[in-house]
Amino acid sequence: MTTSASVPTEPQGAVRGGGTVTDRLVEANQRYAAAFTDPGMDARPVLHVAVVACMDARLDLHAALGLELGDCHTIRNAGGVVTDDVIRSLTISQRALGTRSVVLIHHTGCGLESLTEDFRHDLEMEVGQRPAWAVESFRDVDQDVRQSMQRVRTSPFLLHKDDVRGFVFDVHTGLLREIDPA
């Protein structure tokens, strides 16, 4: 199997044949748009679910969950942690666009397991300004999923908190393991 990760790239974002990775993506979009047909969908997810997951490139959420275009809202960030911005997105998803369920997905081998809040200090030393955001690093992925579930369940902004479930995706097997919230 060939993936884009196996395509050699030139230094500093240039790709073979000239141009940048972004140029390659724009060209791919032009091919996509040439065959595109408006699906006539509403912005409301068909399955009334929002999925919060890590941004890790190894997670193909639609394939892993058997989802089609239009089935869900997908909110991704480093670690898949529930931050203020995730609560913002979930609130809009529920209150304006009708979602009722929340699925949280972390994964094995997450890069946030090897970072600490020292990352912020290092950034401050490098650029002269401390980031306003927390790194949200963790050592125990199961516990971090529990924390994320708790943040969703205790948010005063969310209407639907009875179907909030958390999982760890195994990047080697592709299987989800459900995390008990207790």
Side-chain angles (χ1 to χ4, degrees):
M1 176 172 112
T2 301
T3 66
S4 60
S6 64
V7 176
T9 59
E10 300 296 324
Q12 302 196 4
V15 292
R16 190 177 288 181
T20 65
V21 171
T22 303
D23 292 333
R24 188 180 89 189
L25 298 176
V26 170
E27 290 169 12
N29 173 257
Q30 291 169 349
R31 290 187 300 276
Y32 171 80
F36 183 78
T37 303
D38 180 357
M41 295 178 173
D42 186 271
R44 296 173 179 269
V46 172
L47 298 179
H48 306 287
V49 63
V51 178
V52 178
C54 185
M55 66 186 191
D56 192 296
R58 297 172 290 180
L59 277 68
D60 183 348
L61 292 175
H62 276 72
L65 301 174
L67 296 168
E68 299 293 331
L69 182 67
D71 282 348
C72 71
H73 283 157
T74 305
I75 303 161
R76 296 181 79 157
N77 66 21
V81 295
V82 175
T83 60
D84 286 345
D85 193 60
V86 168
I87 293 295
R88 171 189 161 271
S89 294
L90 287 172
T91 301
I92 293 166
S93 179
Q94 286 189 357
R95 291 180 176 263
L97 296 166
T99 60
R100 300 183 66 80
S101 300
V102 178
V103 174
L104 305 169
I105 301 177
H106 288 31
H107 65 90
T108 58
C110 184
L112 283 187
E113 291 176 291
S114 63
L115 290 177
T116 67
E117 291 299 320
D118 288 341
F119 183 80
R120 291 175 71 224
H121 175 73
D122 295 344
L123 280 173
E124 180 181 13
M125 298 309 295
E126 179 182 331
V127 303
Q129 180 179 340
R130 179 176 293 211
W133 38 264
V135 174
E136 295 279 354
S137 60
F138 53 87
R139 299 242 185 262
D140 181 337
V141 68
D142 291 18
Q143 183 55 34
D144 202 63
V145 172
R146 284 186 198 94
Q147 176 176 289
S148 290
M149 286 189 282
Q150 185 65 13
R151 286 179 177 176
V152 170
R153 288 187 173 128
T154 59
S155 173
F157 306 109
L158 299 175
L159 295 172
H160 307 289
K161 304 179 219 180
D162 56 322
D163 190 15
V164 176
R165 293 170 65 184
F167 300 86
V168 174
F169 177 87
D170 187 311
V171 297
H172 299 293
T173 66
L175 290 172
L176 290 176
R177 179 174 50 82
E178 188 157 9
I179 301 302
D180 184 359

